[in-house]
């Protein structure tokens, strides 16, 4: 996970609710909370790329839907929680379709609902960070420049073929004697290609009876 603090922007013009939300969120030591009372001041700091933005739908200088679009354009990784005094289903649906993470109505349980919402976002972002980190590790592990050693002409030809396979979307057949590194080459192609985010599924063909190979690989009716 990143050492960067989990940054939350509270954008709320109502002084009471602004202080209420900031106080409630600041009780969580994992959060760094900053508050704004208008859209202008908030937009001036949007470049800091907050993880979460709680956005009052009715601000004195900007409409909530307009700010949501600006956030989507300038800080798409930021999750937006719309907070409104009105339980307007149609507006809520439009905002969720527009990219908002959730729509909360100001009420007595706003603090607990907001905490749950932000905790879910944080878990998702932490998981996403871990996945990206693992993907980088896997790519580095199966980088053929570092995992395969050889300066001979045949090895250079193999490296050239791997480069071609990585840049295309064709079926590749790898042949060779046992122990020559066929699976290593296959992994190098997979984890360095556009399909790196997909699963790599090795199949031991020697363990599958000849009559069942087709159904095992391609299924059967």
């Amino acid at each position: 996970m990143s050492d960067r603090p989990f940054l939350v922007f509270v954008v709320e013009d109502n002084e009471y609710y602004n202080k209420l939300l900031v106080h409630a969120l600041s009780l969580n030591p994992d959060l760094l909370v900053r508050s704004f009372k208008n859209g202008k001041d908030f937009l001036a700091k949007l470049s800091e790329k907050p993880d979460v933005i709680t956005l009052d739908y009715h601000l004195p200088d900007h409409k909530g839907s307009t700010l949501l679009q600006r956030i989507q354009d300038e800080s798409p990784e930021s999750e937006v929680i719309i907070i409104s005094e009105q339980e307007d289903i149609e507006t809520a649906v439009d905002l969720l379709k527009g990219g908002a993470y959730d729509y909360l109505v100001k009420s007595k349980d706003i603090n607990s609902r907001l905490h749950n919402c932000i905790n879910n976002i944080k878990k998702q972002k932490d998981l996403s960070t871990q996945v990206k980190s693992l993907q980088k590790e896997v790519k580095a592990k199966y980088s053929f420049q570092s995992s395969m050693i050889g300066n001979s002409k045949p090895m250079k030809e193999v490296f050239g073929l791997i480069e071609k396979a990585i840049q295309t979307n064709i079926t590749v057949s790898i042949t060779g004697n046992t122990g020559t590194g066929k699976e290593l080459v296959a992994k190098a192609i997979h984890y360095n290609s556009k399909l790196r985010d997909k699963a790599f599924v090795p199949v031991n063909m020697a363990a599958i009876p000849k009559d069942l190979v087709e159904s095992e690989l391609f299924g059967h009716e």
Side-chain angles (χ1 to χ4, degrees), residues 8 60 119 139 143 155 169 175 200 210:
V8 179
N119 284 338
K139 183 177 180 181
S143 171
M155 283 303 298
N169 188 29
T175 61
F200 178 84
K210 182 179 179 181

Side-chain angles (χ1 to χ4, degrees), residues 67-144:
L67 283 177
L68 177 61
Q69 186 58 57
R70 286 285 299 274
I71 296 167
Q72 293 288 302
D73 293 339
E74 299 178 25
S75 185
E77 296 297 319
S78 300
E79 296 289 1
V80 182
I81 302 171
I82 301 293
I83 297 180
S84 176
E85 293 181 348
Q86 300 177 345
E87 190 171 358
D88 188 330
I89 301 299
E90 185 176 348
T91 299
V93 170
D94 289 340
L95 291 169
L96 292 174
K97 287 181 178 179
Y101 182 86
D102 207 344
Y103 181 97
L104 303 181
V105 178
K106 293 178 180 179
S107 59
K108 293 181 179 179
D109 63 346
I110 184 69
N111 287 347
S112 60
R113 294 172 64 197
L114 186 57
H115 268 296
N116 290 336
C117 203
I118 291 179
N119 284 338
N120 288 336
I121 292 173
K122 190 174 186 303
K123 288 178 182 178
Q124 291 170 6
K125 285 182 174 284
D126 286 346
L127 180 60
S128 177
T129 299
Q130 292 177 30
V131 169
K132 289 178 181 178
S133 177
L134 288 172
Q135 287 174 337
K136 288 181 180 179
E137 290 180 15
V138 169
K139 183 177 180 181
K141 180 178 180 180
Y142 293 107
S143 171
F144 65 90

Side-chain angles (χ1 to χ4, degrees), residues 6 33 112-113 148 153 202:
F6 197 81
V33 185
S112 60
R113 294 172 64 197
M148 287 183 277
K153 184 177 179 180

Side-chain angles (χ1 to χ4, degrees), residues 19-206:
K19 290 182 178 180
L20 177 69
L21 297 178
V22 170
H23 173 72
L25 295 176
S26 296
L27 294 176
N28 186 337
D30 294 331
L31 306 181
L32 177 61
V33 185
R34 299 186 60 185
S35 69
F36 305 88
K37 294 182 180 179
N38 58 68
K40 180 182 178 181
D41 292 343
F42 157 67
L43 289 173
K45 297 295 183 179
L46 185 56
S47 60
E48 295 183 16
K49 310 296 183 185
D51 295 286
V52 178
I53 301 166
T54 71
L55 179 63
D56 182 13
Y57 185 68
H58 295 288
L59 291 171
D61 58 344
H62 285 82
K63 191 175 180 180
S65 56
T66 303
L67 283 177
L68 177 61
Q69 186 58 57
R70 286 285 299 274
I71 296 167
Q72 293 288 302
D73 293 339
E74 299 178 25
S75 185
E77 296 297 319
S78 300
E79 296 289 1
V80 182
I81 302 171
I82 301 293
I83 297 180
S84 176
E85 293 181 348
Q86 300 177 345
E87 190 171 358
D88 188 330
I89 301 299
E90 185 176 348
T91 299
V93 170
D94 289 340
L95 291 169
L96 292 174
K97 287 181 178 179
Y101 182 86
D102 207 344
Y103 181 97
L104 303 181
V105 178
K106 293 178 180 179
S107 59
K108 293 181 179 179
D109 63 346
I110 184 69
N111 287 347
S112 60
R113 294 172 64 197
L114 186 57
H115 268 296
N116 290 336
C117 203
I118 291 179
N119 284 338
N120 288 336
I121 292 173
K122 190 174 186 303
K123 288 178 182 178
Q124 291 170 6
K125 285 182 174 284
D126 286 346
L127 180 60
S128 177
T129 299
Q130 292 177 30
V131 169
K132 289 178 181 178
S133 177
L134 288 172
Q135 287 174 337
K136 288 181 180 179
E137 290 180 15
V138 169
K139 183 177 180 181
K141 180 178 180 180
Y142 293 107
S143 171
F144 65 90
Q145 292 94 337
S146 59
S147 62
M148 287 183 277
I149 302 173
N151 292 314
S152 65
K153 184 177 179 180
M155 283 303 298
K156 289 181 179 179
E157 290 178 355
V158 170
F159 293 156
L161 291 172
I162 292 175
E163 284 281 9
K164 289 181 179 179
I166 288 171
Q167 297 170 12
T168 60
N169 188 29
I170 60 174
T171 300
V172 178
S173 177
I174 305 169
T175 61
N177 295 329
T178 301
T180 54
K182 296 186 294 297
E183 186 170 331
L184 186 62
V185 171
K187 288 181 177 179
I189 293 172
H190 176 79
Y191 288 114
N192 289 276
S193 72
K194 293 180 180 179
L195 298 175
R196 65 177 67 92
D197 295 332
K198 306 297 182 180
F200 178 84
V201 185
V203 178
N204 183 2
M205 299 298 294

